[in-house]
Amino acid sequence: MDVRIFTEPQQGASYDDLLRVAKATEDAGFDAFFRSDHFLKMGGVSGLPGPTDAWLTLAGLARETRRIRLGTLVTSATFRHPSVLAISVAQVDQMSGGRVEFGFGAGWFEAEHTAYGIDLPPAKERFDRYGEQLEIITGLWETPEGETFSFSGEHFRLENAPALPKPAQTPRPPVIIGGTGKKRTPALAARFADEFNLPFADAATAAAQFERVDAAAREIGRDPKEITRSLALVACVGADDAEVSRRAAAIGREVPELKENGLAGSPAEVVDKIGRYREETGITRVYLQILDLGDLAHLELIASDVLPQLS
């Protein structure tokens, strides 16, 4: 079981905060450090000092870390032109020595689009654009060096793009797709995804969606086993009940709700729940959403008391 750390810096974190967490993630033995791609806080937090850009952050972390994988859950397709995004991600992959993973979604948070004047098309158009963007980004990365890439779609057109720079990984960084859509999402995952991720889903919902992705893969002649199954779940682990309660209060959540919808409780409880998820859904990777980025002791506890039981 790969165990990864997933952060939500729009809730209030500077680059230095993220650097501390990323280094602690690496030192503690976790597989990867991921972050969200949002420009506006959610809920009652202040969000100070303000948002940080996902790919600028990952570029910095690429030079400040050595081993951990780096990525997004997930980059919003509405924020950046696909050609520009392909260049940015390829450069960060080079800067990291080939450690980038590209989580990519259609975009959804209407309030942040309104706040910053970013277009959020209706759902159908958004998914039409998203499908074209996946074709463009992966097409640019996979075009052999010395050849050009062209694309003509309803929303984007590229003519003889040099398709440079190339990522360090060949033919491209892993692509992560996720979500609960029952038709278009599984179809796109079958074509483009190396990993399918479900955020904050119960086991039954996750298992059903993974089966839809598998069916879509078989329909186009792809082996479903090529697509890693993963979940993202909020984590709130404590050595005793008092510590669990303290950590839940720090992120504005109730312990019973966290135990129901996330990975909360003692290390033994968390290991047991991850094991049940694995049995019921077939996941081989879990992203622990860490919301209190100042509590590095939380990471240390998970690393010492949870990770060894999952290896």
Side-chain angles (χ1 to χ4, degrees), residues 112-161:
E112 72 184 336
H113 290 78
T114 300
Y116 285 96
I118 302 168
D119 289 340
L120 182 69
K124 182 183 182 305
E125 180 184 341
R126 194 156 71 245
F127 265 83
D128 290 344
R129 288 176 172 270
Y130 176 54
E132 290 188 14
Q133 288 166 302
L134 280 164
E135 289 194 55
I136 290 166
I137 293 167
T138 57
L140 287 167
W141 289 340
E142 293 174 359
T143 297
E145 190 169 336
E147 299 183 14
T148 61
F149 175 79
S150 297
F151 178 85
S152 181
E154 182 179 353
H155 301 284
F156 300 97
R157 182 178 179 86
L158 283 69
E159 294 185 13
N160 299 318

Side-chain angles (χ1 to χ4, degrees), residues 251-264:
I251 61 175
R253 304 280 284 272
E254 298 291 333
V255 173
E257 179 269 324
L258 286 169
K259 287 191 175 185
E260 176 70 22
N261 298 314
L263 297 171

Side-chain angles (χ1 to χ4, degrees), residues 184-299:
R184 299 190 72 177
T185 298
L188 288 170
R191 288 184 61 195
F192 297 106
D194 300 283
E195 176 180 339
F196 192 82
N197 176 266
L198 278 168
F200 320 119
D202 62 80
T205 298
Q209 186 69 343
F210 289 140
E211 288 303 319
R212 293 185 189 101
V213 173
D214 286 1
R218 286 190 293 268
E219 189 173 333
I220 63 171
R222 185 179 180 193
D223 184 353
K225 293 181 180 178
E226 295 176 1
I227 304 173
T228 297
R229 294 182 175 191
S230 69
L231 289 174
L233 295 162
V234 62
C236 182
V237 188
D240 52 37
D241 290 345
E243 194 167 70
V244 175
S245 296
R246 177 177 62 79
R247 289 197 164 115
I251 61 175
R253 304 280 284 272
E254 298 291 333
V255 173
E257 179 269 324
L258 286 169
K259 287 191 175 185
E260 176 70 22
N261 298 314
L263 297 171
S266 68
E269 287 179 285
V270 168
V271 169
D272 179 67
K273 189 163 185 180
I274 291 173
R276 284 187 277 116
Y277 263 111
R278 177 163 48 190
E279 290 176 3
E280 296 174 28
T281 68
I283 60 166
T284 58
R285 181 171 292 158
V286 62
Y287 294 80
L288 304 183
Q289 184 195 45
I290 302 296
L291 294 175
D292 184 356
L293 300 186
D295 186 4
L296 298 185
H298 193 196
L299 297 185

Side-chain angles (χ1 to χ4, degrees), residues 73-97:
L73 281 183
V74 290
T75 293
S76 175
T78 57
F79 290 170
R80 304 165 186 86
H81 190 283
S83 299
V84 176
L85 182 57
I87 291 169
S88 297
V89 177
Q91 183 175 358
V92 177
D93 196 45
Q94 289 181 355
M95 292 169 70
S96 70

Side-chain angles (χ1 to χ4, degrees), residues 4 47 64 101 146 226 275:
R4 299 178 160 192
E64 298 278 2
E101 304 200 4
E226 295 176 1

